[in-house]
Amino acid sequence: MRIDILTIFPNMFQNVFHDSIMKRAIDLKKVEIHLHNFRDYSKDRHKKVDDTPFGGGCGMVLTLQPIYDCLMDIKTEEAKVILLTPSGTPYKQKMAYDLSHEKHLILICGHYEGFDERIKNFVDLEISIGDYILTGGEIPAMVLVDSITRLLPGVILEESHLEESFNNHLLDYPTYTKPRKFLEYSVPEVLLSGNHEKIRQYREEESIRLTKEMRPDLLKEKGD
């Protein structure tokens, strides 16, 4: 997979891709990540990439020309172009799985008061990572890259991500490790029983219980 990221703050990404799972994915050549400063494509003599909004209002809006020229310079026939914006489709685990099967992703990071609306004529998908406001699209881009690259074949064990939270609309079951007892808190006896069927049932029940308590909305999506 190839991932291209369009941003005016490429330095924000420099350390993110050199640790943990993303580094492993890169080292295994499962993914190539390229950063593009679309300010380099500005035709303004001061390399300006924003301007005041038509109709008035506070803040500055990203101009279309630098982003469009950068996009056209790197886009391939296989590319899926993603705009990171608060008005986009809420990002879910299923979307991460779907995107992990793409060969080429292009992520466009916004800033300031957002994009010239006409950019939407040149993208395939708009994504939001949550109902809150960030300074720009760089952190959402990092979220997408992390969640997608870990799903690429060979990066982590398939069984590891198949049992994680949000698969099947359930939160993950609680896990424990040594020691068996810490202060007055003990590991549930069923996990020490060696009975695999009882352990499976316990974990399934705990997933449902936690989901009902913490994220009942997921059960509504599932239809339970």
Side-chain angles (χ1 to χ4, degrees), residues 156-164:
I156 64 173
L157 292 175
E158 184 178 11
E159 63 188 45
S160 296
H161 62 73
L162 288 178
E163 295 182 358
E164 291 174 328

Side-chain angles (χ1 to χ4, degrees), residues 6 38 67 71 81-84 106-110 115 119 123:
L6 279 61
F38 58 82
I67 300 173
L71 181 60
V81 183
I82 299 172
L83 192 68
L84 297 161
I106 299 177
L107 311 181
I108 305 177
C109 303
F115 301 93
I119 187 63
V123 305

Side-chain angles (χ1 to χ4, degrees), residues 71-88:
L71 181 60
M72 292 302 104
D73 195 30
I74 64 174
K75 188 176 180 181
T76 63
E77 290 185 2
E78 298 175 326
K80 180 177 284 292
V81 183
I82 299 172
L83 192 68
L84 297 161
T85 171
S87 61

